[in-house]
Amino acid sequence: MRVRKAVIPAAGLGTRFLPATKALPKEMMPIVDKPAIQYIVEEIVNSGIEDILIITGRGKRAIEDHFDKSFELNSVLREKERHSLLETLEKIERLADIHYLRQKEALGTGHAILKAKNHIAGEPFAILFGDDLVRAKTPCIKQLIDLYEKYSASVLAVTEVSEEEIPSYGVIKGKNIGDVYLVEDLVEKPEARKAPSNLALLGRYVLEPEIFDVLERTPYAEDNELRLTDAIKTLSKDHVVYAHKIEGEWFTVGDRLSYLITTIEYALIREDIGQKFRSYLGKLIERWNRPDASNSKQRSPGGSTRR
Ligand code: UTP
């Protein structure tokens, strides 16, 4: 069966990024000049899926506004003959057929996905977390869709992480059988020395619709959250579940440091500003490496480029 639908859970509270996320959804944090969630919607569209369901919650209106038609703004841009900007906005409006559902309480990723049950209506579907970006030649979710269509079984995206990072993620125990791993277990945030692998789950999945039944009987964790990974762990006990080591680089906007790294990585390769930004960073590093760096640290990092 073809994968025709995608779900983006984007109703989380973003507590790791407060206070920025008090009124601004973290999925709307700009990576240079584009909100993170737009990269994700583009990844879905570039993978051949046109039916997208975004799970939103309180304080997430900006997401719907972003993909909506902006009559006022468009007419001002038209009047001022700002054609290229107008084209950019109109492209966003045409991107895809986007549906929205609200998760009234942020009770976990599994709880958010359960909201999609009726919309998915018994089909296999893709899940992309609203705060995970993957830069890849073949869109990450397309890599999973191709494998789903080859094996007719759920596929999870994984990537190698360093030993220090292992305790922050869910990792798989699996057997390598060519282009995929057969998942035997999922272990949430293990100590590095006890971890069954260094293959961490990132927020990309293609799942069989059976996941909804499993979610309905999965207990809530101690923090009162229903976790998608707990349900996938159960699913892997009586269904074949594969993991795929993705080709591409994984970035996240979920916390301060990751957000800064993601922004810099994306800015460095931009055609319009990349070269100037690289040259600025080169100078900045040189300045911070000087023996008298304590003086230069007090200077504005924006230097003469600030207006
Ligand atoms: P995260 O666990 O990274 O997001 O969920 P969070 O809960 O907002 O983050 P912190 O820990 O409080 O900082 C991954 C994705 O799932 C969504 C989030 O919006 C994010 O895109 N999510 C999470 C939901 O839709 N609902 C939830 O109840 C939890």
Side-chain angles (χ1 to χ4, degrees):
M1 201 169 182
R2 262 193 68 220
V3 180
R4 302 184 311 123
K5 298 176 181 175
V7 180
I8 307 177
L13 299 177
T15 53
R16 283 168 296 157
F17 216 145
L18 282 167
T21 45
K22 187 172 174 220
L24 176 75
K26 76 172 159 187
E27 297 79 10
M28 285 298 293
M29 300 284 284
I31 307 301
V32 188
D33 55 2
K34 213 196 273 189
I37 197 164
Q38 190 183 327
Y39 289 91
I40 297 170
V41 168
E42 286 171 354
E43 178 183 332
I44 297 171
V45 172
N46 292 336
S47 302
I49 292 183
E50 283 166 15
D51 184 323
I52 302 174
L53 173 67
I54 303 183
I55 310 294
T56 65
R58 214 169 311 125
K60 302 275 182 170
R61 277 262 320 263
I63 298 178
E64 292 184 45
D65 288 344
H66 181 72
F67 294 106
D68 201 359
K69 200 170 179 72
S70 47
F71 287 104
E72 228 178 314
L73 197 52
N74 290 7
S75 77
V76 170
L77 292 176
R78 203 168 293 117
E79 255 167 47
K80 299 195 169 176
E81 299 186 3
R82 308 278 302 270
H83 300 298
S84 136
L85 258 183
L86 180 64
E87 170 60 15
T88 306
L89 295 196
E90 287 180 340
K91 244 194 211 155
I92 298 170
E93 295 157 13
R94 289 194 301 264
L95 260 178
D97 187 9
I98 304 183
H99 310 266
Y100 300 90
L101 267 178
R102 275 170 93 91
Q103 184 190 18
K104 289 190 184 131
E105 257 187 287
L107 293 177
T109 47
H111 184 261
I113 294 301
L114 252 185
K115 298 274 153 214
K117 184 178 175 180
N118 290 342
H119 184 89
I120 297 302
E123 297 189 21
F125 66 108
I127 299 175
L128 300 91
F129 281 1
D131 55 354
D132 283 311
L133 304 186
V134 180
R135 202 159 62 190
K137 239 193 241 155
T138 305
C140 177
I141 205 68
K142 175 86 170 76
Q143 295 177 31
L144 302 191
I145 291 170
D146 289 346
L147 288 165
Y148 175 85
E149 289 176 354
K150 180 170 171 190
Y151 294 114
S152 295
S154 299
V155 191
L156 326 173
V158 290
T159 191
E160 282 179 356
V161 293
S162 68
E163 219 174 286
E164 308 88 76
E165 289 172 312
I166 288 177
S168 308
Y169 299 109
V171 298
I172 62 153
K173 176 172 185 235
K175 203 184 291 160
N176 188 342
I177 51 164
D179 50 4
V180 288
Y181 290 78
L182 177 63
V183 175
E184 293 163 348
D185 200 5
L186 299 184
V187 187
E188 199 50 55
K189 303 183 176 168
E191 274 178 49
R193 60 188 179 85
K194 289 190 187 157
S197 75
N198 65 346
L199 295 172
L201 291 167
L202 51 127
R204 297 283 188 278
Y205 311 82
V206 170
L207 297 179
E208 294 275 18
E210 281 73 23
I211 193 68
F212 293 112
D213 295 336
V214 180
L215 275 167
E216 274 164 349
R217 52 188 158 83
T218 300
Y220 282 69
E222 284 140 34
D223 56 2
N224 201 29
E225 288 205 0
L226 178 56
R227 295 210 182 89
L228 179 63
T229 45
D230 287 348
I232 296 176
K233 185 180 161 103
T234 308
L235 186 76
S236 71
K237 302 292 174 214
D238 37 60
H239 287 77
V240 174
V241 174
Y242 294 118
H244 168 61
K245 194 157 89 178
I246 58 154
E247 282 147 35
E249 291 170 280
W250 171 36
F251 298 99
T252 156
V253 300
D255 63 87
R256 298 168 181 86
L257 182 61
S258 311
Y259 172 73
L260 287 174
I261 292 171
T262 306
T263 306
I264 289 173
E265 287 275 357
Y266 276 73
L268 285 171
I269 57 157
R270 281 277 294 240
E271 264 177 33
D272 52 352
I273 54 165
Q275 201 181 346
K276 279 189 182 161
F277 188 53
R278 283 194 293 275
S279 127
Y280 164 68
L281 280 187
K283 284 186 206 142
L284 184 72
I285 289 163
E286 201 181 295
R287 203 158 78 206
W288 276 71
N289 283 339
R290 271 189 227 140
D292 64 342
S294 59
N295 294 333
S296 52
K297 277 173 196 162
Q298 281 159 24
R299 288 206 300 265
S300 148
S304 58
T305 59
R306 271 193 159 180
R307 274 191 272 169

